[in-house]
């Protein structure tokens, strides 16, 4: 069995309407000055109003930064820093989708350790202690709440930088499935497929170990069963809850075993063509599963996932990777997402450039099958 070093860092609180108890949780952390980091959609949805109502206590002061955009950039983190420098928080709350949580995490690096975001690209580059942070996801997607990486786009190059540090891990993740009921259906689609990809990729990556496998497997069980339910019935609170747990468990898996080639292929599509992360993943994941499945050992791991799922699978006559890849494509269709590059107005002659970009992605190094520029080209061609 492979060695591992597992240290849970995040208290996880789960339950519908837990947001109303935020004030109690903040007091338990002995915080007095709270900076909420979010996006305008979350503010409009009323979640920030509920959060600040829960913080109504004379001993607490709060401030809001609501300038987070999709794929937060170094410029956005800088704007958040200006608010933080003025307000001097002792606790950060990232509330929203992965973008809000990542922006809060990114802010935490430069607010406490100085410098610029690029200085923290990679792992464990912060030397000084960081502020405690609470993550409150309003989507079941990135799992940012349970892992210590912030994905921040370089404002100039549009390259997504993964900045990770154990100190950046949230002290608390407040998982309130009621907050995920009101999200637009497109958000449910792109975040759900992303969470599914995290469960599937982490199950096969090179650093997989006993801990990550436990989280990946359970995340997969929750996500594959709940995703069709929430597409059909968006107000299904029970299914929203298992989606949210699945996304968080997948985040725990990422923390312990990283991601793979589907993310390496997806990131250049976002950087060059501004394709939303989950949509990019819906395009790339089936191709990468098929590529990985050519290795019988990896195909066997996919078979294990099918065995614990409700997906029909005839192990004597079917190839696990093929069944799994087809299932992902079916889900993407149900979620009204594109499944071919050509449908996203991507010209055929950029595949060479995209392959070159993908081959430079750090996340590709964790893929179970070595994947070079030519392999990325083959994968992109297979999903064109
Ligand atoms: Fe992802």
């Amino acid at each position: 069995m492979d060695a591992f070093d597992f240290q849970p860092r995040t208290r996880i609180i789960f339950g519908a309407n837990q947001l109303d108890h935020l004030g109690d949780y903040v007091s338990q952390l002995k915080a007095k000055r709270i900076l909420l980091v979010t996006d305008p959609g979350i503010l409009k949805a009323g979640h920030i109003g509920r959060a600040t109502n829960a913080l109504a206590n004379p001993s607490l002061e709060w401030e809001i930064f609501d300038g987070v955009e999709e794929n937060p950039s170094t410029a956005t983190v800088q704007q958040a820093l200006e608010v933080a420098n003025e307000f001097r928080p002792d606790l950060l709350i990232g509330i929203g989708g992965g973008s809000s949580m990542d922006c809060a995490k990114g802010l935490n690096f430069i607010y406490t350790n100085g410098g610029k975001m690029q200085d923290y690209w990679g792992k464990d580059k912060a030397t000084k202690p960081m502020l405690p942070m609470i993550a409150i996801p309003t989507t079941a997607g990135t799992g940012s709440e349970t892992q210590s990486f912030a994905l921040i786009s370089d404002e100039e190059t549009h390259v997504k930088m993964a900045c990770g540090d154990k100190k950046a891990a949230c002290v608390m993740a407040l998982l309130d499935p009621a907050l995920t009921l009101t999200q637009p259906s497109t958000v449910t689609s792109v975040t759900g497929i992303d969470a599914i990809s995290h469960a599937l990729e982490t199950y096969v990556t090179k650093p997989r170990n006993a801990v990550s496998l436990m989280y990946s497997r359970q995340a997969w069980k929750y996500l594959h069963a709940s995703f069709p339910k929430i597409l059909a019935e968006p107000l299904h609170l029970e299914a929203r809850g298992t989606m949210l747990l699945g996304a968080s468990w997948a985040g725990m898996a990422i923390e312990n075993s990283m991601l793979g080639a589907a993310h390496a292929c997806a990131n250049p599509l976002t950087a060059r063509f501004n394709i939303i992360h989950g949509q990019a993943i819906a395009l790339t994941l089936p191709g990468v599963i098929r590529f990985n499945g050519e290795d019988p050992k990896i195909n066997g791991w996919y078979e294990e996932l099918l065995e614990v799922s409700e997906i029909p699978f005839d192990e004597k006559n079917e190839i696990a990777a093929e069944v799994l890849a087809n299932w992902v494509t079916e889900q993407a269709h149900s979620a009204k997402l594109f499944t071919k590059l050509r449908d996203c107005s991507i010209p055929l002659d950029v595949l060479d450039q995209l392959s070159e970009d993908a081959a430079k992605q750090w996340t590709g190094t964790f893929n179970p099958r070595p994947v070079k520029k030519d392999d990325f080209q083959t994968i992109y061609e297979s999903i064109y």
Side-chain angles (χ1 to χ4, degrees):
M1 200 178 261
D2 293 324
F4 63 80
D5 178 350
F6 176 52
Q7 187 186 350
R9 298 175 185 91
T10 307
R11 175 183 172 190
I12 299 173
I13 297 156
F14 176 85
N17 302 312
Q18 281 296 319
L19 181 63
D20 299 332
H21 304 290
L22 181 61
D24 298 336
Y25 298 129
V26 163
S27 297
Q28 288 168 20
L29 292 170
K30 314 235 178 305
K32 300 274 182 230
R33 300 180 66 77
I34 302 120
L35 177 60
L36 295 115
V37 178
T38 192
D39 71 66
I42 298 302
L43 193 70
K44 208 171 150 202
H47 300 322
I48 300 301
R50 269 184 69 193
T52 52
N53 278 347
L55 295 174
N57 175 330
S59 65
L60 300 178
E61 283 188 55
W62 46 263
E63 180 59 270
I64 299 166
F65 173 74
D66 66 349
V68 181
E69 82 281 42
E70 185 80 38
N71 300 317
S73 71
T74 45
T76 312
V77 176
Q78 202 60 37
Q79 286 165 23
L81 178 67
E82 282 165 27
V83 175
N85 281 338
E86 179 118 339
F87 178 68
R88 311 305 296 176
D90 58 9
L91 173 75
L92 299 177
I93 297 182
I95 173 167
S99 298
S100 293
M101 294 185 280
D102 281 1
C103 184
K105 264 191 232 172
L107 163 66
N108 206 352
F109 277 98
I110 51 177
Y111 180 66
T112 55
N113 277 260
K116 54 188 193 308
M117 213 57 248
Q118 285 83 347
D119 300 336
Y120 305 99
W121 190 1
K123 224 175 162 184
D124 298 332
K125 303 267 179 79
T127 52
K128 296 178 193 159
M130 294 170 74
L131 286 187
M133 175 178 153
I134 298 178
I136 309 177
T138 59
T139 63
T142 63
S144 179
E145 64 276 13
T146 48
Q147 40 107 347
S148 59
F149 283 83
L151 289 179
I152 305 294
S153 295
D154 187 304
E155 187 196 358
E156 273 153 31
T157 62
H158 302 286
V159 171
K160 258 192 185 188
M161 301 181 290
C163 307
D165 196 295
K166 292 172 187 68
K167 296 185 284 301
C170 298
V171 291
M172 201 180 278
L174 193 60
L175 308 182
D176 180 346
L179 298 178
T180 68
L181 291 173
T182 52
Q183 62 192 299
S185 62
T186 49
V187 176
T188 297
S189 296
V190 291
T191 52
I193 286 283
D194 187 32
I196 287 167
S197 79
H198 296 164
L200 293 176
E201 287 229 282
T202 52
Y203 194 74
V204 299
T205 47
K206 271 193 222 156
R208 72 202 293 267
N209 58 58
V211 173
S212 73
L213 291 177
M214 177 179 73
Y215 282 110
S216 305
R217 194 183 294 109
Q218 189 58 43
W220 165 245
K221 283 190 190 176
Y222 280 145
L223 295 167
H224 93 278
S226 313
F227 190 54
K229 283 186 197 155
I230 59 163
L231 290 180
E233 204 184 321
L235 297 180
H236 195 312
L237 185 61
E238 189 73 21
R240 288 287 190 181
T242 43
M243 275 304 287
L244 194 55
L245 265 189
S248 289
W249 276 195
M252 296 285 268
I254 295 172
E255 184 72 7
N256 289 281
S257 63
M258 309 305 283
L259 289 163
H263 279 73
C265 278
N267 291 344
L269 296 173
T270 303
R272 289 198 180 267
F273 293 95
N274 215 15
I275 294 178
I276 293 171
H277 178 65
Q279 169 59 85
I281 286 291
L283 293 161
T284 63
L285 182 61
V288 169
I289 291 173
R290 288 192 178 92
F291 170 79
N292 284 338
E294 285 171 26
D295 179 326
K297 190 164 96 177
I298 305 167
N299 192 59
W301 294 339
Y302 290 140
E303 207 167 306
E304 290 170 10
L305 290 176
L306 285 171
E307 279 163 9
V308 297
S309 79
E310 295 163 10
I311 301 166
F313 172 54
D314 175 357
E315 60 180 29
K316 288 203 176 66
N317 298 305
E318 291 181 309
I319 298 163
E322 197 58 33
V323 173
L324 206 50
N326 286 339
W327 180 85
V328 171
T329 300
E330 280 165 30
Q331 296 308 310
H333 281 147
S334 304
K336 301 189 172 56
L337 298 173
F338 295 116
T339 57
K340 293 285 175 201
L341 294 179
R342 78 167 77 90
D343 297 332
C344 300
S345 310
I346 292 173
L348 191 56
D349 61 8
V350 299
L351 299 194
D352 185 62
Q353 181 62 58
L354 287 172
S355 307
E356 208 172 303
D357 294 352
K360 288 182 196 149
Q361 295 284 320
W362 184 45
T363 184
T365 63
F366 304 107
N367 198 62
R369 253 189 96 182
V371 53
K372 300 224 158 56
K373 193 198 156 196
D374 289 353
D375 302 311
F376 282 115
Q377 179 94 22
T378 307
I379 294 167
Y380 281 129
E381 282 167 7
S382 76
I383 57 170
Y384 195 79

